Amino acid sequence: MTSETETVPDALRSWSVSWAEYAPVDVTPPELRPDSLAREVPDWAEGAALPTDVADWQQRQDSALVPYALDERGWPLHPHGRTGRTGRNLGRWAENSAADPIVAAGRGQHRRVLLITRGDIGVEAIPGGMLDPGETVLAALVRECREETGIDLAGHQPVILSREIVDDWRNSDHAWVASASALYQLPEQVTALAADDAIDANWWPFTSLTRLDAAITAAGRTLYAAHRPLLRRALSYLDQH
């Protein structure tokens, strides 16, 4: 999976820098192209073929986890600048808000973290997902964990760690993923059963990112790169508290 800015030189990433030759690759899949949307909108995507078809930009910008601007055409611009990709490979134009519950259990050398194996790309990841329309971050955190692992976090008070852009493989100049990550601390492990978008759910060693990487690699699996900063931030918080 390619990093969202791998093909864009650092000096040309900012939207304020002129780049007449910029030719991003269109990553829009067939089901989200205008002719397909006109026939039938997938249940996971909005029906706006172009950003100019979106009617509630002010509301979207006001509720965004990470602020962003619109260009002179009325198209949203990725907050971090050019990505080398255009179009939309996500459910919505601009920010696709996600909730990522980082669930840790136990303490010290016995501490573990709950990860799922994603069904779409087959890597170990935090059991999160997109917010439903009108859903709060806290509600989404609980729902996503319950749907993908069977573990109910209702009644547990999380620590909100960040609200940030995730380096998701589907991101483009005009559609991207922003996540609110939260840490849940359980006294001990509870049974996890994979469901929904997850094909497996397991507890992994969580005393350091190095140890987590080693355990996942030893099992013949791969840690989702986009979630590494979120897990690193959770470890930093746990080590300080």
Side-chain angles (χ1 to χ4, degrees):
M1 290 168 285
T2 303
S3 172
E4 67 177 37
T5 55
E6 188 172 298
T7 61
V8 179
D10 289 345
L12 296 173
R13 191 168 299 162
S14 173
W15 294 112
S16 64
V17 177
S18 178
W19 187 6
E21 296 80 17
Y22 181 51
V25 176
D26 192 339
V27 296
T28 308
E31 63 270 24
L32 294 183
R33 295 191 179 277
D35 54 344
S36 298
L37 285 174
R39 293 194 303 270
E40 182 176 357
V41 180
D43 57 8
W44 55 273
E46 67 178 345
L50 296 172
T52 47
D53 298 325
V54 174
D56 61 344
W57 278 123
Q58 189 61 60
Q59 180 179 344
R60 294 193 188 196
Q61 288 178 287
D62 290 344
S63 62
L65 296 176
V66 179
Y68 62 89
L70 304 180
D71 66 14
E72 66 279 358
R73 300 173 298 171
W75 286 41
L77 296 174
H78 192 298
H80 291 176
R82 298 181 177 96
T83 67
R85 299 191 288 272
T86 190
R88 170 168 68 112
N89 193 15
L90 289 159
R92 290 161 60 90
W93 290 102
E95 181 177 286
N96 290 256
S97 305
D100 288 310
I102 302 170
V103 185
R107 296 186 178 278
Q109 293 302 306
H110 301 290
R111 191 167 63 210
R112 299 288 186 270
V113 66
L114 177 66
L115 299 178
I116 62 163
T117 306
R118 287 179 51 153
D120 56 351
I121 51 178
V123 297
E124 305 307 295
I126 299 165
M130 302 299 178
L131 273 65
D132 288 338
E135 187 177 35
T136 66
V137 167
L138 289 178
L141 289 164
V142 172
R143 175 182 56 77
E144 285 291 343
C145 191
R146 184 190 301 119
E147 288 178 353
E148 296 188 345
T149 72
I151 295 175
D152 191 352
L153 297 174
H156 293 275
Q157 185 63 38
V159 175
I160 302 296
L161 297 174
S162 67
R163 298 171 185 266
E164 62 187 318
I165 303 293
V166 176
D167 191 8
D168 191 279
W169 62 279
R170 297 163 295 182
N171 287 358
S172 75
D173 290 350
H174 309 297
W176 57 89
V177 179
S179 167
S181 63
L183 175 64
Y184 288 84
Q185 298 181 70
L186 307 184
E188 58 185 5
Q189 296 178 42
V190 294
T191 301
L193 298 172
D196 195 42
D197 297 331
I199 57 177
D200 199 5
N202 292 286
W203 293 95
W204 298 89
F206 198 48
T207 54
S208 70
L209 204 56
T210 299
R211 188 180 177 198
L212 176 61
D213 270 329
I216 290 175
T217 300
R221 303 187 182 188
T222 303
L223 179 61
Y224 185 33
H227 284 173
R228 294 177 69 86
L230 310 185
L231 293 166
R232 185 179 293 111
R233 187 173 289 109
L235 279 166
S236 178
Y237 177 90
L238 288 166
D239 289 343
Q240 295 174 28
H241 296 80

